[in-house]
Amino acid sequence: MTKKDKVLWTVSIGVMLLGIVTFVVTGMQRSAALASQQSEIATLTQQKQEASDKRASEVNTVTKNSFGLDVSRVATDDRLASQIIKTATTWSDSESYTNARNTLRDDYKISEDSYLLTTFMPKSENMPLGQGGKMINTIDAYGLNMTYVKMHSYVVNIDNGVYSYFTVVDVLSKDVQGHSGEGTIIFTYDVDANGTVSNMVANNS
Protein backbone atom coordinates (compact mmCIF):
# COMPACT_ATOMS: atom_id res chain seq x y z
CA MET A 1 0.00 0.00 0.00
CA THR A 2 1.46 3.37 -1.05
CA LYS A 3 1.61 6.34 1.23
CA LYS A 4 -1.16 7.96 -0.79
CA ASP A 5 -3.36 4.89 -0.40
CA LYS A 6 -2.73 4.86 3.34
CA VAL A 7 -3.83 8.50 3.56
CA LEU A 8 -6.99 7.82 1.56
CA TRP A 9 -7.76 4.72 3.65
CA THR A 10 -7.25 6.69 6.86
CA VAL A 11 -9.52 9.49 5.62
CA SER A 12 -12.18 6.98 4.58
CA ILE A 13 -12.11 5.30 7.98
CA GLY A 14 -12.35 8.71 9.62
CA VAL A 15 -15.35 9.71 7.51
CA MET A 16 -17.05 6.39 8.24
CA LEU A 17 -16.44 6.70 11.97
CA LEU A 18 -17.68 10.28 11.90
CA GLY A 19 -20.83 9.11 10.14
CA ILE A 20 -21.42 6.39 12.71
CA VAL A 21 -20.86 8.80 15.60
CA THR A 22 -23.20 11.34 13.97
CA PHE A 23 -25.87 8.67 13.44
CA VAL A 24 -25.60 7.48 17.04
CA VAL A 25 -25.65 10.99 18.48
CA THR A 26 -28.57 12.01 16.24
CA GLY A 27 -30.47 8.86 17.24
CA MET A 28 -29.86 9.59 20.90
CA GLN A 29 -30.99 13.18 20.44
CA ARG A 30 -34.16 12.03 18.65
CA SER A 31 -34.86 9.46 21.36
CA ALA A 32 -34.37 12.08 24.05
CA ALA A 33 -36.67 14.50 22.20
CA LEU A 34 -39.30 11.79 21.74
CA ALA A 35 -39.10 10.81 25.41
CA SER A 36 -39.46 14.46 26.36
CA GLN A 37 -42.51 14.86 24.11
CA GLN A 38 -44.10 11.69 25.51
CA SER A 39 -43.47 12.96 29.04
CA GLU A 40 -45.09 16.30 28.18
CA ILE A 41 -48.09 14.55 26.61
CA ALA A 42 -48.51 12.33 29.68
CA THR A 43 -48.30 15.39 31.95
CA LEU A 44 -50.84 17.33 29.88
CA THR A 45 -53.19 14.30 29.78
CA GLN A 46 -52.99 13.96 33.55
CA GLN A 47 -53.59 17.68 34.03
CA LYS A 48 -56.60 17.52 31.70
CA GLN A 49 -58.06 14.57 33.63
CA GLU A 50 -57.47 16.31 36.96
CA ALA A 51 -59.15 19.45 35.63
CA SER A 52 -62.10 17.39 34.37
CA ASP A 53 -62.43 15.59 37.72
CA LYS A 54 -62.22 18.90 39.58
CA ARG A 55 -64.91 20.44 37.37
CA ALA A 56 -67.21 17.44 37.88
CA SER A 57 -66.68 17.69 41.61
CA GLU A 58 -67.38 21.44 41.57
CA VAL A 59 -70.58 20.94 39.56
CA ASN A 60 -71.70 18.26 41.99
CA THR A 61 -70.93 20.52 44.96
CA VAL A 62 -72.76 23.51 43.46
CA THR A 63 -75.79 21.36 42.60
CA LYS A 64 -75.84 19.85 46.06
CA ASN A 65 -75.47 23.23 47.78
CA SER A 66 -78.06 24.93 45.57
CA PHE A 67 -80.75 22.27 45.42
CA GLY A 68 -79.80 19.71 48.06
CA LEU A 69 -79.27 17.21 45.22
CA ASP A 70 -76.18 15.00 45.26
CA VAL A 71 -75.40 14.14 41.62
CA SER A 72 -73.08 11.26 42.53
CA ARG A 73 -75.78 9.85 44.80
CA VAL A 74 -78.26 9.93 41.92
CA ALA A 75 -75.79 8.05 39.71
CA THR A 76 -75.40 5.39 42.40
CA ASP A 77 -79.16 5.11 42.87
CA ASP A 78 -79.62 4.78 39.11
CA ARG A 79 -77.24 1.83 39.00
CA LEU A 80 -79.10 0.11 41.83
CA ALA A 81 -82.59 0.77 40.45
CA SER A 82 -81.63 -0.11 36.88
CA GLN A 83 -80.72 -3.65 37.96
CA ILE A 84 -84.24 -4.17 39.27
CA ILE A 85 -85.88 -2.43 36.35
CA LYS A 86 -83.88 -4.39 33.76
CA THR A 87 -84.90 -7.62 35.46
CA ALA A 88 -88.56 -6.64 35.43
CA THR A 89 -88.53 -5.56 31.78
CA THR A 90 -86.41 -8.27 30.15
CA TRP A 91 -88.05 -11.62 29.38
CA SER A 92 -88.89 -13.58 26.24
CA ASP A 93 -91.40 -16.27 27.28
CA SER A 94 -93.29 -17.62 30.28
CA GLU A 95 -90.24 -19.37 31.70
CA SER A 96 -87.97 -16.30 31.60
CA TYR A 97 -90.85 -14.16 32.87
CA THR A 98 -91.27 -16.45 35.89
CA ASN A 99 -87.51 -16.50 36.45
CA ALA A 100 -87.38 -12.69 36.36
CA ARG A 101 -90.27 -12.50 38.78
CA ASN A 102 -88.58 -14.94 41.16
CA THR A 103 -85.34 -12.92 40.98
CA LEU A 104 -87.21 -9.77 41.98
CA ARG A 105 -88.76 -11.61 44.92
CA ASP A 106 -85.77 -13.63 46.10
CA ASP A 107 -82.73 -11.52 45.20
CA TYR A 108 -84.15 -8.02 45.45
CA LYS A 109 -86.54 -8.83 48.31
CA ILE A 110 -89.61 -7.39 46.62
CA SER A 111 -92.65 -8.68 48.43
CA GLU A 112 -95.01 -11.10 46.69
CA ASP A 113 -97.92 -8.86 47.62
CA SER A 114 -96.21 -5.67 46.40
CA TYR A 115 -97.74 -3.59 43.64
CA LEU A 116 -94.89 -4.56 41.32
CA LEU A 117 -95.53 -8.30 41.62
CA THR A 118 -99.32 -8.22 41.88
CA THR A 119 -100.16 -5.65 39.21
CA PHE A 120 -97.21 -5.08 36.90
CA MET A 121 -95.81 -8.63 37.01
CA PRO A 122 -98.57 -10.90 38.30
CA LYS A 123 -98.19 -14.64 38.16
CA SER A 124 -98.59 -15.90 34.63
CA GLU A 125 -101.33 -18.56 34.56
CA ASN A 126 -102.15 -21.38 32.17
CA MET A 127 -105.39 -20.98 30.27
CA PRO A 128 -107.37 -23.25 27.90
CA LEU A 129 -106.12 -21.34 24.88
CA GLY A 130 -104.70 -24.20 22.85
CA GLN A 131 -106.38 -26.38 20.27
CA GLY A 132 -109.16 -28.40 21.84
CA GLY A 133 -108.92 -26.37 25.03
CA LYS A 134 -105.31 -27.32 25.71
CA MET A 135 -103.84 -25.46 28.68
CA ILE A 136 -101.20 -22.98 27.55
CA ASN A 137 -99.51 -20.20 29.46
CA THR A 138 -100.95 -16.85 28.39
CA ILE A 139 -97.52 -15.35 27.70
CA ASP A 140 -96.60 -18.20 25.36
CA ALA A 141 -100.04 -18.29 23.78
CA TYR A 142 -99.82 -14.65 22.70
CA GLY A 143 -96.05 -14.57 22.14
CA LEU A 144 -95.55 -11.83 24.68
CA ASN A 145 -92.03 -10.54 25.42
CA MET A 146 -90.21 -7.45 26.59
CA THR A 147 -86.68 -6.05 26.32
CA TYR A 148 -85.19 -3.20 28.32
CA VAL A 149 -83.74 -0.37 26.19
CA LYS A 150 -82.90 2.57 28.42
CA MET A 151 -84.11 4.69 31.33
CA HIS A 152 -83.99 8.27 32.51
CA SER A 153 -84.67 9.14 36.13
CA TYR A 154 -85.91 12.35 37.73
CA VAL A 155 -85.62 13.18 41.42
CA VAL A 156 -89.01 14.40 42.61
CA ASN A 157 -88.39 14.58 46.34
CA ILE A 158 -85.64 14.37 48.97
CA ASP A 159 -86.61 13.65 52.53
CA ASN A 160 -84.11 12.82 55.26
CA GLY A 161 -81.71 11.07 52.89
CA VAL A 162 -84.45 9.27 50.96
CA TYR A 163 -84.56 10.15 47.26
CA SER A 164 -87.85 9.63 45.43
CA TYR A 165 -87.70 9.01 41.70
CA PHE A 166 -89.93 9.27 38.65
CA THR A 167 -88.23 7.18 35.96
CA VAL A 168 -89.12 6.83 32.29
CA VAL A 169 -88.15 3.44 30.89
CA ASP A 170 -88.12 2.60 27.18
CA VAL A 171 -88.79 -1.02 26.27
CA LEU A 172 -89.05 -3.06 23.09
CA SER A 173 -91.36 -5.92 22.13
CA LYS A 174 -91.52 -8.18 19.07
CA ASP A 175 -94.43 -10.10 17.59
CA VAL A 176 -94.25 -13.57 16.08
CA GLN A 177 -93.45 -12.08 12.67
CA GLY A 178 -90.44 -10.28 14.15
CA HIS A 179 -91.94 -6.80 13.96
CA SER A 180 -90.73 -4.54 16.76
CA GLY A 181 -92.73 -2.08 18.79
CA GLU A 182 -91.48 0.41 21.35
CA GLY A 183 -93.22 1.34 24.57
CA THR A 184 -92.71 3.41 27.68
CA ILE A 185 -93.16 2.37 31.29
CA ILE A 186 -93.15 4.75 34.23
CA PHE A 187 -91.45 3.55 37.41
CA THR A 188 -91.64 5.36 40.74
CA TYR A 189 -89.62 4.31 43.77
CA ASP A 190 -87.58 5.46 46.75
CA VAL A 191 -83.91 4.86 47.54
CA ASP A 192 -82.51 5.48 51.01
CA ALA A 193 -78.96 6.44 51.98
CA ASN A 194 -78.05 2.76 52.36
CA GLY A 195 -79.03 1.97 48.78
CA THR A 196 -82.26 0.17 49.63
CA VAL A 197 -84.87 0.49 46.87
CA SER A 198 -88.47 0.45 48.07
CA ASN A 199 -92.05 1.32 47.13
CA MET A 200 -91.45 0.52 43.46
CA VAL A 201 -94.51 0.95 41.25
CA ALA A 202 -94.66 0.49 37.47
CA ASN A 203 -97.32 1.64 35.03
CA ASN A 204 -97.54 1.67 31.26
CA SER A 205 -97.62 5.29 30.13
Short mmCIF file of all heavy atoms in Angstrom, two decimals, residues 69-71 73-75 77-79 81-82 85 150-158 162-170 184-191 205:
data_model
loop_
_atom_site.label_atom_id
_atom_site.label_comp_id
_atom_site.label_asym_id
_atom_site.label_seq_id
_atom_site.Cartn_x
_atom_site.Cartn_y
_atom_site.Cartn_z
N LEU A 69 -79.33 18.42 46.04
CA LEU A 69 -79.27 17.21 45.22
C LEU A 69 -77.83 16.78 45.03
O LEU A 69 -76.99 17.55 44.55
CB LEU A 69 -79.92 17.49 43.86
CG LEU A 69 -79.93 16.33 42.86
CD1 LEU A 69 -80.85 15.22 43.36
CD2 LEU A 69 -80.39 16.82 41.49
N ASP A 70 -77.53 15.56 45.41
CA ASP A 70 -76.18 15.00 45.26
C ASP A 70 -76.14 14.20 43.95
O ASP A 70 -76.73 13.13 43.85
CB ASP A 70 -75.87 14.11 46.45
CG ASP A 70 -74.43 13.62 46.44
OD1 ASP A 70 -73.80 13.65 45.37
OD2 ASP A 70 -73.94 13.20 47.50
N VAL A 71 -75.43 14.75 42.95
CA VAL A 71 -75.40 14.14 41.62
C VAL A 71 -74.78 12.74 41.67
O VAL A 71 -75.26 11.80 41.02
CB VAL A 71 -74.62 15.03 40.63
CG1 VAL A 71 -74.50 14.34 39.27
CG2 VAL A 71 -75.30 16.37 40.48
N ARG A 73 -74.80 10.73 44.14
CA ARG A 73 -75.78 9.85 44.80
C ARG A 73 -76.83 9.39 43.80
O ARG A 73 -77.23 8.20 43.79
CB ARG A 73 -76.43 10.62 45.96
CG ARG A 73 -77.74 10.07 46.50
CD ARG A 73 -77.59 8.73 47.22
NE ARG A 73 -78.91 8.19 47.53
CZ ARG A 73 -79.61 8.55 48.62
NH1 ARG A 73 -79.13 9.41 49.50
NH2 ARG A 73 -80.81 8.00 48.83
N VAL A 74 -77.27 10.29 42.94
CA VAL A 74 -78.26 9.93 41.92
C VAL A 74 -77.69 8.86 40.98
O VAL A 74 -78.37 7.91 40.63
CB VAL A 74 -78.70 11.17 41.12
CG1 VAL A 74 -79.59 10.77 39.94
CG2 VAL A 74 -79.44 12.14 42.02
N ALA A 75 -76.42 9.02 40.60
CA ALA A 75 -75.79 8.05 39.71
C ALA A 75 -75.73 6.67 40.36
O ALA A 75 -75.99 5.64 39.72
CB ALA A 75 -74.38 8.51 39.34
N ASP A 77 -77.78 5.60 42.79
CA ASP A 77 -79.16 5.11 42.87
C ASP A 77 -79.64 4.57 41.53
O ASP A 77 -80.36 3.56 41.47
CB ASP A 77 -80.09 6.23 43.34
CG ASP A 77 -79.88 6.60 44.80
OD1 ASP A 77 -79.11 5.90 45.49
OD2 ASP A 77 -80.48 7.59 45.26
N ASP A 78 -79.23 5.24 40.45
CA ASP A 78 -79.62 4.78 39.11
C ASP A 78 -79.07 3.38 38.83
O ASP A 78 -79.75 2.54 38.23
CB ASP A 78 -79.12 5.76 38.04
CG ASP A 78 -80.03 6.96 37.87
OD1 ASP A 78 -81.13 6.97 38.46
OD2 ASP A 78 -79.64 7.89 37.13
N ARG A 79 -77.84 3.15 39.23
CA ARG A 79 -77.24 1.83 39.00
C ARG A 79 -78.00 0.75 39.78
O ARG A 79 -78.24 -0.35 39.27
CB ARG A 79 -75.76 1.83 39.41
CG ARG A 79 -74.85 2.56 38.44
CD ARG A 79 -73.39 2.24 38.71
NE ARG A 79 -72.96 2.76 40.00
CZ ARG A 79 -72.46 3.96 40.20
NH1 ARG A 79 -72.34 4.80 39.18
NH2 ARG A 79 -72.07 4.34 41.40
N ALA A 81 -81.21 0.91 40.95
CA ALA A 81 -82.59 0.77 40.45
C ALA A 81 -82.62 0.12 39.08
O ALA A 81 -83.53 -0.67 38.77
CB ALA A 81 -83.27 2.13 40.41
N SER A 82 -81.63 0.43 38.24
CA SER A 82 -81.63 -0.11 36.88
C SER A 82 -81.51 -1.63 36.88
O SER A 82 -82.04 -2.31 35.99
CB SER A 82 -80.50 0.50 36.05
OG SER A 82 -79.23 0.09 36.53
N ILE A 85 -85.04 -2.77 37.49
CA ILE A 85 -85.88 -2.43 36.35
C ILE A 85 -85.55 -3.30 35.13
O ILE A 85 -86.45 -3.78 34.42
CB ILE A 85 -85.75 -0.93 36.01
CG1 ILE A 85 -86.37 -0.09 37.13
CG2 ILE A 85 -86.40 -0.61 34.67
CD1 ILE A 85 -86.12 1.40 37.00
N LYS A 150 -83.60 1.55 27.67
CA LYS A 150 -82.90 2.57 28.42
C LYS A 150 -83.86 3.21 29.44
O LYS A 150 -85.07 2.97 29.40
CB LYS A 150 -82.35 3.67 27.50
CG LYS A 150 -83.43 4.43 26.75
CD LYS A 150 -82.85 5.47 25.81
CE LYS A 150 -83.94 6.20 25.05
NZ LYS A 150 -83.39 7.26 24.16
N MET A 151 -83.29 4.01 30.34
CA MET A 151 -84.11 4.69 31.33
C MET A 151 -83.54 6.07 31.63
O MET A 151 -82.35 6.31 31.43
CB MET A 151 -84.19 3.89 32.63
CG MET A 151 -82.87 3.65 33.32
SD MET A 151 -83.05 2.81 34.93
CE MET A 151 -82.91 4.22 36.05
N HIS A 152 -84.42 6.94 32.08
CA HIS A 152 -83.99 8.27 32.51
C HIS A 152 -84.77 8.61 33.77
O HIS A 152 -86.00 8.62 33.78
CB HIS A 152 -84.24 9.32 31.44
CG HIS A 152 -83.61 10.64 31.76
ND1 HIS A 152 -82.32 10.94 31.41
CD2 HIS A 152 -84.08 11.72 32.43
CE1 HIS A 152 -82.02 12.16 31.84
NE2 HIS A 152 -83.08 12.65 32.46
N SER A 153 -84.03 8.89 34.85
CA SER A 153 -84.67 9.14 36.13
C SER A 153 -84.74 10.62 36.46
O SER A 153 -83.88 11.41 36.02
CB SER A 153 -83.93 8.39 37.25
OG SER A 153 -82.65 8.96 37.44
N TYR A 154 -85.75 10.98 37.25
CA TYR A 154 -85.91 12.35 37.73
C TYR A 154 -86.16 12.30 39.23
O TYR A 154 -87.01 11.54 39.70
CB TYR A 154 -87.11 13.03 37.04
CG TYR A 154 -87.00 13.06 35.53
CD1 TYR A 154 -87.49 11.99 34.76
CD2 TYR A 154 -86.44 14.15 34.87
CE1 TYR A 154 -87.39 12.01 33.37
CE2 TYR A 154 -86.34 14.18 33.49
CZ TYR A 154 -86.82 13.11 32.74
OH TYR A 154 -86.72 13.13 31.37
N VAL A 155 -85.41 13.10 39.97
CA VAL A 155 -85.62 13.18 41.42
C VAL A 155 -86.80 14.10 41.67
O VAL A 155 -86.81 15.26 41.25
CB VAL A 155 -84.37 13.72 42.13
CG1 VAL A 155 -84.62 13.85 43.62
CG2 VAL A 155 -83.18 12.81 41.88
N VAL A 156 -87.81 13.60 42.36
CA VAL A 156 -89.01 14.40 42.61
C VAL A 156 -89.14 14.82 44.08
O VAL A 156 -89.94 15.70 44.40
CB VAL A 156 -90.28 13.63 42.18
CG1 VAL A 156 -90.29 13.43 40.68
CG2 VAL A 156 -90.39 12.28 42.90
N ASN A 157 -88.33 14.19 44.94
CA ASN A 157 -88.39 14.58 46.34
C ASN A 157 -87.17 14.04 47.09
O ASN A 157 -86.63 12.99 46.75
CB ASN A 157 -89.66 14.03 47.00
CG ASN A 157 -89.87 14.58 48.40
OD1 ASN A 157 -89.83 15.79 48.61
ND2 ASN A 157 -90.07 13.71 49.37
N ILE A 158 -86.73 14.81 48.08
CA ILE A 158 -85.64 14.37 48.97
C ILE A 158 -86.10 14.60 50.40
O ILE A 158 -86.45 15.73 50.76
CB ILE A 158 -84.34 15.16 48.71
CG1 ILE A 158 -83.89 14.99 47.26
CG2 ILE A 158 -83.24 14.71 49.67
CD1 ILE A 158 -82.68 15.84 46.90
N VAL A 162 -83.71 10.14 51.87
CA VAL A 162 -84.45 9.27 50.96
C VAL A 162 -84.78 10.04 49.69
O VAL A 162 -85.44 11.07 49.73
CB VAL A 162 -85.75 8.73 51.60
CG1 VAL A 162 -86.52 7.89 50.60
CG2 VAL A 162 -85.42 7.92 52.85
N TYR A 163 -84.29 9.53 48.56
CA TYR A 163 -84.56 10.15 47.26
C TYR A 163 -85.74 9.42 46.61
O TYR A 163 -85.74 8.19 46.52
CB TYR A 163 -83.34 10.03 46.34
CG TYR A 163 -82.26 11.05 46.59
CD1 TYR A 163 -81.88 11.40 47.90
CD2 TYR A 163 -81.58 11.66 45.53
CE1 TYR A 163 -80.88 12.32 48.13
CE2 TYR A 163 -80.58 12.58 45.75
CZ TYR A 163 -80.23 12.91 47.05
OH TYR A 163 -79.22 13.83 47.28
N SER A 164 -86.70 10.19 46.14
CA SER A 164 -87.85 9.63 45.43
C SER A 164 -87.70 9.91 43.94
O SER A 164 -87.36 11.04 43.56
CB SER A 164 -89.16 10.22 45.95
OG SER A 164 -89.33 9.91 47.32
N TYR A 165 -87.95 8.90 43.13
CA TYR A 165 -87.70 9.01 41.70
C TYR A 165 -88.95 8.78 40.84
O TYR A 165 -89.82 7.98 41.19
CB TYR A 165 -86.64 7.99 41.28
CG TYR A 165 -85.26 8.28 41.81
CD1 TYR A 165 -84.85 7.77 43.04
CD2 TYR A 165 -84.36 9.05 41.08
CE1 TYR A 165 -83.58 8.03 43.54
CE2 TYR A 165 -83.08 9.31 41.57
CZ TYR A 165 -82.70 8.79 42.80
OH TYR A 165 -81.44 9.05 43.29
N PHE A 166 -88.97 9.49 39.74
CA PHE A 166 -89.93 9.27 38.65
C PHE A 166 -89.06 8.91 37.45
O PHE A 166 -88.29 9.73 36.96
CB PHE A 166 -90.72 10.55 38.39
CG PHE A 166 -91.69 10.46 37.23
CD1 PHE A 166 -93.01 10.13 37.46
CD2 PHE A 166 -91.28 10.73 35.93
CE1 PHE A 166 -93.92 10.06 36.40
CE2 PHE A 166 -92.18 10.67 34.87
CZ PHE A 166 -93.50 10.33 35.12
N THR A 167 -89.15 7.67 36.98
CA THR A 167 -88.23 7.18 35.96
C THR A 167 -88.97 6.71 34.71
O THR A 167 -89.91 5.90 34.80
CB THR A 167 -87.36 6.05 36.52
OG1 THR A 167 -86.60 6.56 37.62
CG2 THR A 167 -86.42 5.50 35.46
N VAL A 168 -88.54 7.21 33.59
CA VAL A 168 -89.12 6.83 32.29
C VAL A 168 -88.25 5.73 31.69
O VAL A 168 -87.05 5.91 31.49
CB VAL A 168 -89.18 8.04 31.34
CG1 VAL A 168 -89.78 7.62 30.00
CG2 VAL A 168 -89.98 9.18 31.96
N VAL A 169 -88.88 4.60 31.41
CA VAL A 169 -88.15 3.44 30.89
C VAL A 169 -88.67 3.08 29.50
O VAL A 169 -89.87 2.88 29.31
CB VAL A 169 -88.31 2.23 31.84
CG1 VAL A 169 -87.57 1.02 31.28
CG2 VAL A 169 -87.81 2.57 33.23
N ASP A 170 -87.77 3.01 28.55
CA ASP A 170 -88.12 2.60 27.18
C ASP A 170 -87.89 1.09 27.04
O ASP A 170 -86.85 0.57 27.45
CB ASP A 170 -87.26 3.33 26.16
CG ASP A 170 -87.57 4.82 26.09
OD1 ASP A 170 -88.68 5.21 26.49
OD2 ASP A 170 -86.69 5.60 25.68
N THR A 184 -93.27 2.69 26.54
CA THR A 184 -92.71 3.41 27.68
C THR A 184 -93.41 2.99 28.95
O THR A 184 -94.63 2.87 28.99
CB THR A 184 -92.87 4.94 27.49
OG1 THR A 184 -92.21 5.34 26.29
CG2 THR A 184 -92.26 5.69 28.67
N ILE A 185 -92.63 2.74 29.99
CA ILE A 185 -93.16 2.37 31.29
C ILE A 185 -92.65 3.36 32.33
O ILE A 185 -91.47 3.73 32.31
CB ILE A 185 -92.73 0.94 31.69
CG1 ILE A 185 -93.23 -0.05 30.64
CG2 ILE A 185 -93.27 0.58 33.08
CD1 ILE A 185 -92.71 -1.45 30.86
N ILE A 186 -93.52 3.81 33.18
CA ILE A 186 -93.15 4.75 34.23
C ILE A 186 -92.94 4.00 35.54
O ILE A 186 -93.85 3.30 36.01
CB ILE A 186 -94.22 5.84 34.43
CG1 ILE A 186 -94.49 6.58 33.11
CG2 ILE A 186 -93.81 6.81 35.53
CD1 ILE A 186 -93.26 7.27 32.54
N PHE A 187 -91.76 4.13 36.11
CA PHE A 187 -91.45 3.55 37.41
C PHE A 187 -91.30 4.66 38.45
O PHE A 187 -90.68 5.69 38.16
CB PHE A 187 -90.14 2.76 37.37
CG PHE A 187 -90.24 1.40 36.75
CD1 PHE A 187 -90.26 1.25 35.38
CD2 PHE A 187 -90.29 0.26 37.55
CE1 PHE A 187 -90.34 -0.01 34.80
CE2 PHE A 187 -90.38 -1.01 36.98
CZ PHE A 187 -90.40 -1.14 35.60
N THR A 188 -91.89 4.46 39.61
CA THR A 188 -91.64 5.36 40.74
C THR A 188 -91.14 4.52 41.90
O THR A 188 -91.59 3.38 42.08
CB THR A 188 -92.92 6.12 41.16
OG1 THR A 188 -93.93 5.18 41.52
CG2 THR A 188 -93.43 6.99 40.03
N TYR A 189 -90.21 5.06 42.67
CA TYR A 189 -89.62 4.31 43.77
C TYR A 189 -88.81 5.24 44.66
O TYR A 189 -88.53 6.40 44.30
CB TYR A 189 -88.72 3.19 43.24
CG TYR A 189 -87.73 3.64 42.19
CD1 TYR A 189 -86.47 4.11 42.54
CD2 TYR A 189 -88.07 3.62 40.84
CE1 TYR A 189 -85.57 4.54 41.58
CE2 TYR A 189 -87.18 4.04 39.88
CZ TYR A 189 -85.93 4.50 40.25
OH TYR A 189 -85.05 4.93 39.29
N ASP A 190 -88.42 4.73 45.81
CA ASP A 190 -87.58 5.46 46.75
C ASP A 190 -86.26 4.71 46.93
O ASP A 190 -86.22 3.48 46.85
CB ASP A 190 -88.27 5.58 48.12
CG ASP A 190 -89.59 6.32 48.04
OD1 ASP A 190 -89.71 7.25 47.21
OD2 ASP A 190 -90.51 5.96 48.82
N VAL A 191 -85.21 5.46 47.22
CA VAL A 191 -83.91 4.86 47.54
C VAL A 191 -83.36 5.58 48.76
O VAL A 191 -83.22 6.81 48.73
CB VAL A 191 -82.91 4.97 46.37
CG1 VAL A 191 -81.62 4.22 46.71
CG2 VAL A 191 -83.50 4.42 45.08
N SER A 205 -97.24 3.88 30.34
CA SER A 205 -97.62 5.29 30.13
C SER A 205 -98.64 5.41 29.01
O SER A 205 -98.85 4.48 28.24
CB SER A 205 -96.37 6.10 29.79
OG SER A 205 -95.80 5.65 28.58
#
